[in-house]
Amino acid sequence: MSGADQRALARAHVILVGCGGLGSEVGHGLARKGVGWLTLFDFDAVELSNLPRQLFGPEDLGQNKALALARNLSRQATGRTLIEGYARSFQDALAHGISVDGDIAVVGVDNNPTRIAAAEYYLQRQIPVIFLAVDEQASRGYVFVQASRPGEPCFLCLFPDAGEDRRIHGCAGASIEILKIVAGIALYAVDSRLMAR
């Protein structure tokens, strides 16, 4: 494929914030594609309602999502992908001095405080970040690539009211279809940022 560069992907370190419906789909794609290093962050535990639409099985119930996903992705990896999981939120990782730096970040969480924290953090460090989300009805979603330089479009430029919205939004039911579609677009965006596509 024009512009495809497997070596660039194999050298890349991707940070994945959120390991639920969207994060598990993106993580699965990155592991299958042979990304070099994948670091996962999520403080949440696997629940029964997650099983139809996330990369978890009954044996993962009650376990931390980042740790369970890291284990599950290790069986899906086609290359020498280093996969590590942290049972922490993005903000908690920062507070405890855990590195959240990489070549690119993907943020697929269900709350604006984390999106805003990630947007500000990565913009200051000039690290590109991809935000993705779906609505509670599983009828639409978005993928937004935040520029890596100050003065260019950022998450708060696109969603200026996000700073006032402190809610944690519900999941998109048992609809895996919208998750796969949005995650597929996000994976294409990751490739486009890492390769000359």
Side-chain angles (χ1 to χ4, degrees):
M1 294 185 304
S2 178
D5 184 352
Q6 189 62 38
R7 287 174 296 192
L9 194 60
R11 287 190 304 265
H13 180 192
V14 179
I15 305 297
L16 183 59
V17 181
C19 297
L22 290 166
S24 63
E25 288 292 336
V26 170
H28 180 246
L30 292 170
R32 299 291 294 176
K33 288 166 157 272
V35 71
W37 185 3
L38 184 57
T39 304
L40 314 172
F41 292 94
D42 201 315
F43 66 92
D44 202 6
V46 178
E47 298 175 11
L48 184 62
S49 65
N50 300 146
L51 301 188
R53 67 186 185 284
Q54 298 178 17
L55 195 61
F56 303 114
E59 68 280 3
D60 299 317
L61 288 172
Q63 295 184 30
N64 171 266
K65 286 185 178 181
L67 302 179
L69 185 59
R71 183 182 59 253
N72 294 342
L73 291 178
S74 70
R75 295 188 290 261
Q76 297 290 322
T78 59
R80 296 178 177 221
T81 304
L82 170 64
I83 303 171
E84 59 185 348
Y86 289 91
R88 296 184 181 273
S89 68
F90 179 81
Q91 295 93 321
D92 192 40
L94 286 177
H96 285 87
I98 298 169
S99 176
V100 294
D101 291 357
D103 296 303
I104 192 167
V106 179
V107 178
V109 296
D110 59 4
N111 68 88
N112 283 329
T114 300
R115 292 179 186 119
I116 292 166
E120 292 172 347
Y121 180 87
Y122 290 118
L123 192 58
Q124 289 173 358
R125 284 154 186 79
Q126 297 186 4
I127 296 171
V129 57
I130 298 168
F131 294 93
L132 58 159
V134 296
D135 73 334
E136 293 179 23
Q137 302 304 314
S139 60
R140 64 181 181 268
Y142 70 80
V143 175
F144 174 70
V145 181
Q146 177 173 283
S148 56
R149 291 186 294 271
E152 293 183 349
C154 68
F155 180 80
L156 278 171
C157 298
L158 182 63
F159 301 106
D161 296 333
E164 305 302 319
D165 183 0
R166 309 307 262 178
R167 295 174 296 161
I168 294 177
H169 301 282
C171 60
S175 176
I176 196 168
E177 298 85 2
I178 188 74
L179 302 174
K180 287 187 174 295
I181 292 166
V182 172
I185 296 168
L187 287 165
Y188 188 84
V190 169
D191 284 359
S192 298
R193 292 299 300 202
L194 296 175
M195 304 175 191
R197 240 172 142 171

